[in-house]
């Protein structure tokens, strides 16, 4: 377990009941091939320990499901809303992946906020988090996804433009199962 994952669990203790005993068997080679890039190691650690997480019935952290890596990669890469915003010139210079520096989706809110990585040649572990709020404001944070979540729920990172009750005082966490039909 990474230090960052430990920090997230400390900031969001309700998530630990969803930890997969013995881990999950995500096929990272298949996911990397389908996506066209590796993913950050902190996110891989999170995905090996947890299913898709829904926090406070607001934020959904999209983690790949073993056996469904290709659909996850496709959904993260082929973000139609981001593509439409880009074509309309409403991305403040951000571009969809696979363009150089392109955005890859990893979470969303039920209010229309989107959470991305901005890819870079420095490699996945250097990718910052980019947030597009439902108010069409863009913010970039110089941390990875797990450190971002730990900071938000540990109240050391504030995301402008989010609802006033975000994050909640004692966030509830729902883990969505790994069943693939």
């Amino acid at each position: 377990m990474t230090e960052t994952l430990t920090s997230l669990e400390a900031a969001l203790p309700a998530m630990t009941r969803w930890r997969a005993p013995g881990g999950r068997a995500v096929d990272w080679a298949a996911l990397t091939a389908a996506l066209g890039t590796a993913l950050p190691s902190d996110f891989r650690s999170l995905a090996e320990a947890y299913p898709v997480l829904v926090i406070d019935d607001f934020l959904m952290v999209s983690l790949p499901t073993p056996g469904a890596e290709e659909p996850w990669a496709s959904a993260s890469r082929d973000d139609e809303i981001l593509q439409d915003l880009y074509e309309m010139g409403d991305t403040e210079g951000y571009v969809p992946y696979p363009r150089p520096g392109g955005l890859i989706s990893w979470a969303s809110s039920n209010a229309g906020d989107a959470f991305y990585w901005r890819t870079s040649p420095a490699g996945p572990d250097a990718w910052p988090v980019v947030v597009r709020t439902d108010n069409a404001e863009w913010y970039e944070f110089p941390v990875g996804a797990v450190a971002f979540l730990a900071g938000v729920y540990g109240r050391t990172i504030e995301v402008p433009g989010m609802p006033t009750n975000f994050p909640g005082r004692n966030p509830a966490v729902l883990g969505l199962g790994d069943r693939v039909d």
Side-chain angles (χ1 to χ4, degrees):
M1 183 164 58
T2 67
E3 180 180 326
T4 309
L5 187 53
T6 301
S7 298
L8 175 57
E9 291 174 339
L12 198 58
M15 73 184 281
T16 59
R17 76 177 282 227
W18 302 104
R19 179 181 267 285
R24 299 167 71 236
V26 175
D27 184 341
W28 294 107
L31 194 145
T32 298
L35 188 58
T37 184
L39 292 174
S41 59
D42 67 329
F43 186 79
R44 290 192 317 263
S45 294
L46 179 63
E48 283 297 326
Y50 289 96
V52 170
L53 297 171
V54 179
I55 306 168
D56 256 359
D57 199 26
F58 176 73
L59 181 69
M60 185 181 82
V61 180
S62 176
L63 297 164
T65 299
E69 292 84 359
E70 290 181 29
W72 187 93
S74 178
S76 293
R77 180 190 61 238
D78 302 328
D79 184 318
E80 290 179 21
I81 294 172
L82 177 61
Q83 186 64 40
D84 290 346
L85 291 170
Y86 176 71
E87 290 170 7
M88 293 184 305
D90 288 341
T91 57
E92 292 191 17
Y94 291 107
V95 298
Y97 181 80
R99 290 174 181 84
L103 300 181
I104 297 174
S105 173
W106 60 269
S108 61
S109 80
N110 65 8
D113 309 289
F115 300 78
Y116 302 98
W117 291 289
R118 181 176 52 80
T119 60
S120 73
D125 289 337
W127 295 351
V129 167
V130 174
V131 178
R132 181 193 177 274
T133 69
D134 69 328
N135 299 323
E137 298 169 311
W138 293 83
Y139 300 98
E140 187 166 318
F141 299 86
V143 295
V146 177
F148 174 81
L149 292 170
V152 166
Y153 289 99
R155 299 184 185 279
T156 61
I157 293 177
E158 183 179 327
V159 184
M162 288 286 153
T164 56
N165 63 345
F166 175 79
R169 288 280 169 216
N170 294 303
V173 179
L174 174 63
L176 303 182
D178 279 343
R179 189 171 151 191
V180 177
D181 292 322

